Amino acid sequence: MQPEKISQDEYEAELNRLHERREELEEQETTLASHDHGGGLPADQQNRLAKVRGELADLLQEIGDLQDRYADAGGAPPQPDGALGE
C-alpha cells in the first residue's frame, strides 16, 4: 500500500514540528544525562532517560519516514543520510 501523497507545505509544516519535538527531546536527554556525576542515575531518572531516548529514536524514524513519503510523492530525492542529514 502506497502512503498518501503529501504537499510541500504539509511536508514542511510536519518536518518543522518533528524537528521542534526532536530539539525538546534532546534537551531532556541532555538534562537527565547531565545529572549523572559518575555514580549512576537513580532508577527513576534512568527510566525517564530510557523513555526519552526511546521517544527520540521513534521520532527520528518518523522524520525519515516523512522524508521518504515526500520523496515518493515526487517532492524530493530520498536522503540516504537519514533523518539528521539535513
Side-chain angles (χ1 to χ4, degrees):
M1 184 168 135
Q2 289 286 13
E4 188 176 322
K5 292 201 180 233
I6 186 170
S7 71
Q8 182 174 353
D9 289 340
E10 292 170 322
Y11 168 73
E12 289 175 0
E14 183 66 6
L15 189 61
N16 286 336
R17 184 189 71 76
L18 291 171
H19 279 299
E20 286 175 10
R21 180 66 179 139
R22 185 195 74 189
E23 289 173 6
E24 291 171 7
L25 289 169
E26 287 174 344
E27 285 179 29
Q28 288 178 23
E29 178 186 35
T30 299
T31 300
L32 287 166
S34 70
H35 288 100
D36 182 2
H37 300 291
L41 290 171
D44 64 329
Q45 287 188 347
Q46 287 177 6
N47 291 339
R48 286 193 313 182
L49 181 58
K51 182 179 179 204
V52 166
R53 286 180 173 163
E55 288 179 35
L56 187 55
D58 291 344
L59 185 68
L60 293 174
Q61 181 64 51
E62 279 186 65
I63 291 171
D65 292 347
L66 178 66
Q67 290 172 335
D68 289 346
R69 180 177 164 207
Y70 185 59
D72 289 346
Q79 295 184 0
D81 294 334
L84 296 178
E86 305 164 336

